[in-house]
Amino acid sequence: MPELPEVEVTRASLADRLAGARVQAVRLGKPLRWPLGVAPASLVGRRVGWLQRRGKYLWMPLGEADAGDEAATGGLLLHLGMSGSLNLADDPGGAGAHDHFDLATSRGVLRLTDPRRFGAVVWSDSLQADPAAKLLARLGAEPFDPAMTPLRFHAALHARRTSVKAALLAGDIVVGAGNIYASEALHRAGIDPRTRCDKLSRPRAERLLAALRLTLARAIELGGSTLRDFRDAHGVSGAFQHEALVYGREGQACARCGGTVRRIVQGQRASYFCAGCQRR
Ligand SMILES: [Zn+2]
């Protein structure tokens, strides 16, 4: 599943190439998770603004042909779902069975390929209007938002009685901690994934936030530097997994303490950790 680093790498690879492009045509394939919500023909002639990311959503402002402020005139909210990927090509060829959205522009054709079709491309009049506002409302803070201070992170965790791993995966305190990144951040911070949120001390919460930021930054850096194209939405996590210290390494030696990496299941998700250096 594409995680936040994949989406951010996708955004970074497309933003400057698409900014200022004119929409020439829109092609829809099979239905995605939600309908487009606007007549495809009404997008033709619009100008693409700067691609933004919120959580795992991308926001593409689409301005009226000659309007100055494209952000004020709506845009498309895109989500890669379970298996989606976006690719921009001058001539992508005919649409295949899994290509469900093409935005033909003056800078090439942006194509969403999504075999499982949990992805989405949805029109919204603005980020503050529905459906965008509704879809984004439940998201936690961006991991790199300086407004998410260690104090605030600790306070948010302190109000919960779930495991710290479950709170990270829920994404309603901070977004971006998918299973692999949550597991690695907890290892880096020396915290057992089963630790209850309300038992986590302030210094440990602070270490966890810093560890999560380092982990995600490394994944984004790795994705940006190792992927030649972004067709493979699993590429970032795949590349990152080669560097993982606990995720997917059940039975192997912990690189830090030499203990054995264990696998447990929490909330139907696998957790990998080292009982030697990750404490409750
Ligand atoms: Zn260890």
Side-chain angles (χ1 to χ4, degrees), residues 201-260:
S201 69
R202 212 175 110 187
R204 299 186 85 206
E206 184 166 354
R207 271 205 298 281
L208 178 57
L209 181 60
L212 181 61
R213 285 173 167 163
L214 278 169
T215 302
L216 290 172
R218 176 59 188 154
I220 292 167
E221 176 188 85
L222 203 60
S225 63
T226 61
L227 295 185
R228 267 166 293 158
D229 70 33
F230 300 88
R231 274 181 180 280
D232 181 3
H234 304 274
V236 180
S237 291
F240 181 81
Q241 202 170 329
H242 290 299
E243 292 191 0
L245 295 180
V246 287
Y247 187 85
R249 299 179 63 88
E250 182 184 14
Q252 298 183 37
C254 170
R256 186 195 287 160
C257 75
T260 304

Side-chain angles (χ1 to χ4, degrees), residues 8 121 198 211:
E8 175 56 24
V121 182
D198 57 350

